[in-house]
């Protein structure tokens, strides 16, 4: 087949795509896949078993690869990051709601995760639609947020206990982004704050920012906005970091898990 069959996963985000091999996909099929990503926020493609070369080629279809400066690279493939959990770990990489690389001036466009080694149970990934959350807000709250920008920082990596190497040269200065952004491709309004990397609003102290940020973190991750991905060997999942946040479930202690991830560079974000 040269075209995808697309099935929605949930009401506000997520779709399963079947019928095309990513390593053999035509340009038309790749364009259909990209359109599905922008429509659904996260797309799930089973039975792909991407080679490292295929993974890199897929990422380059979307844009320039943004090599993560905190993760261990895959041997002989420095553009691919290892997302590894050892059996003795109780905490996992990505085990809180967040969006990848929001601490960069040009935050991540999308992330592409390829399942390499899975535990016998658990390890699902949850996704939440920031567009649906924005739509569900009161007009008053949205008006307040449209007038705000927030600082994002990579400083949380300094306190990490999930097996990441501490590299002092990897840290950068905080960056500012609008609290509600206009999606660069579709124009959809999305909430853009997350509990891992957002520190405070511009012109506000951390203490002043905390109550509103805490409310937003809870509001945007309500179950009604979410979809859940149960991983299978060889599955590939792509998500748009402007449209969704994600959360990795740490419920498989005693078992190893290994994923390969590439993140694609985005553009500076603008407010609505």
């Amino acid at each position: 087949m040269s075209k995808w069959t697309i099935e929605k996963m949930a009401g506000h985000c997520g779709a399963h795509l079947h019928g095309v091999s990513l390593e053999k996909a035509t340009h038309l099929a790749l364009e259909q896949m990209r359109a599905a990503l922008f429509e659904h926020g996260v797309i799930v493609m089973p039975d792909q078993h991407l080679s490292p070369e295929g993974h890199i080629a897929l990422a380059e279809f979307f844009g320039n690869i943004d090599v993560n400066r905190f993760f261990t690279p895959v041997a002989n493939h420095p553009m691919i990051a290892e997302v590894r959990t050892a059996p003795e770990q109780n905490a996992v990489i990505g085990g809180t709601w967040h969006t990848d690389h929001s601490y960069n001036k040009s935050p991540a466009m999308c992330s592409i995760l390829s399942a390499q080694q899975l535990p016998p149970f658990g390890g699902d990934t949850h996704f939440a639609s920031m567009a649906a959350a924005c739509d569900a807000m009161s007009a008053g709250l949205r008006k307040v947020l449209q007038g705000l920008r927030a600082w994002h920082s990579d400083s949380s990596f300094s306190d990490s206990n999930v097996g990441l190497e501490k590299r002092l040269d990897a840290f950068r200065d905080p960056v500012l982004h609008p609290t509600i952004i206009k999606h660069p491709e579709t124009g959809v309004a999305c909430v853009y704050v997350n509990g891992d990397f957002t520190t405070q609003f511009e012109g506000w102290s951390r203490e002043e920012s905390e109550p509103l940020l805490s409310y937003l973190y809870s509001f945007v991750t309500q179950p009604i906005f979410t979809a859940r991905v149960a991983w299978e060997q060889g599955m590939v999942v792509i998500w748009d970091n402007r449209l969704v946040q994600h959360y990795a479930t740490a419920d498989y202690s005693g078992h190893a898990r290994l994923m390969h991830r590439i993140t694609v560079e985005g553009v500076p974000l603008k407010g609505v």
Side-chain angles (χ1 to χ4, degrees):
M1 293 178 64
S2 59
K3 291 186 64 176
W4 298 98
T5 299
I6 302 175
E7 302 172 347
K8 285 189 67 169
M9 293 170 56
H12 293 297
C13 68
H16 285 108
L17 274 61
H18 302 276
V20 175
S21 166
L22 285 169
E23 300 218 21
K24 299 176 182 178
T26 64
H27 186 75
L28 183 62
L30 292 174
E31 291 287 0
Q32 184 190 11
M33 174 197 65
R34 175 159 50 192
L37 176 64
F38 291 157
E39 180 178 355
H40 301 286
V42 53
I43 53 176
V44 179
M45 293 159 285
D47 298 319
Q48 293 293 334
H49 302 278
L50 278 182
S51 65
E53 294 77 14
H55 197 169
I56 292 167
L58 176 61
E60 289 177 337
F61 166 77
F62 287 101
N64 295 325
I65 292 174
D66 183 5
V67 177
N68 187 287
R69 54 188 184 264
F70 295 99
F71 286 37
T72 301
V74 171
N76 302 316
H77 296 284
M79 289 185 288
I80 306 176
E82 281 192 353
V83 183
R84 182 185 293 274
T85 306
E88 63 273 13
Q89 286 181 231
N90 291 317
V92 301
I93 296 171
T96 48
W97 284 106
H98 67 286
T99 186
D100 293 334
H101 296 203
S102 76
Y103 46 76
N104 287 343
K105 290 182 179 179
S106 297
M109 177 261 175
C110 71
S111 299
I112 307 171
L113 203 60
S114 177
Q116 304 295 311
Q117 179 185 357
L118 296 175
F121 55 83
D124 295 356
T125 305
H126 306 255
F127 295 88
S129 170
M130 296 300 99
C134 193
D135 284 345
M137 281 181 179
S138 68
L141 177 57
R142 183 163 168 166
K143 183 177 181 180
V144 169
L145 296 179
Q146 285 175 346
L148 293 175
R149 295 193 297 174
W151 289 102
H152 295 243
S153 171
D154 57 19
S155 59
S156 61
F157 283 111
S158 64
D159 301 320
S160 169
N161 64 343
V162 293
L164 296 177
E165 182 181 352
K166 299 292 194 300
R167 292 183 51 233
L168 295 179
D169 62 333
F171 292 94
R172 303 286 186 271
D173 291 335
V175 298
L176 274 172
H177 299 303
T179 301
I180 296 183
I181 62 166
K182 180 180 180 181
H183 189 274
E185 300 291 337
T186 68
V188 170
C190 301
V191 182
Y192 199 75
V193 293
N194 69 91
D196 272 10
F197 304 126
T198 306
T199 58
Q200 64 203 87
F201 296 113
E202 181 184 25
W204 296 29
S205 69
R206 291 199 178 207
E207 292 76 15
E208 291 166 339
S209 302
E210 195 277 333
L212 179 52
L213 285 175
S214 293
Y215 173 77
L216 291 174
Y217 301 153
S218 297
F219 181 85
V220 303
T221 56
Q222 293 177 77
I224 188 65
F225 305 137
T226 67
R228 181 172 184 151
V229 173
W231 288 92
E232 301 169 3
Q233 197 70 31
M235 179 180 279
V236 172
V237 175
I238 308 176
W239 61 91
D240 185 322
N241 284 287
R242 291 82 53 97
L243 289 172
V244 297
Q245 292 190 35
H246 61 286
Y247 175 105
T249 310
D251 61 349
Y252 52 94
S253 181
H255 301 280
R257 182 177 184 266
L258 174 63
M259 317 294 267
H260 285 177
R261 193 186 89 179
I262 298 180
T263 303
V264 177
E265 183 180 303
V267 297
L269 297 173
K270 298 179 180 180
V272 295

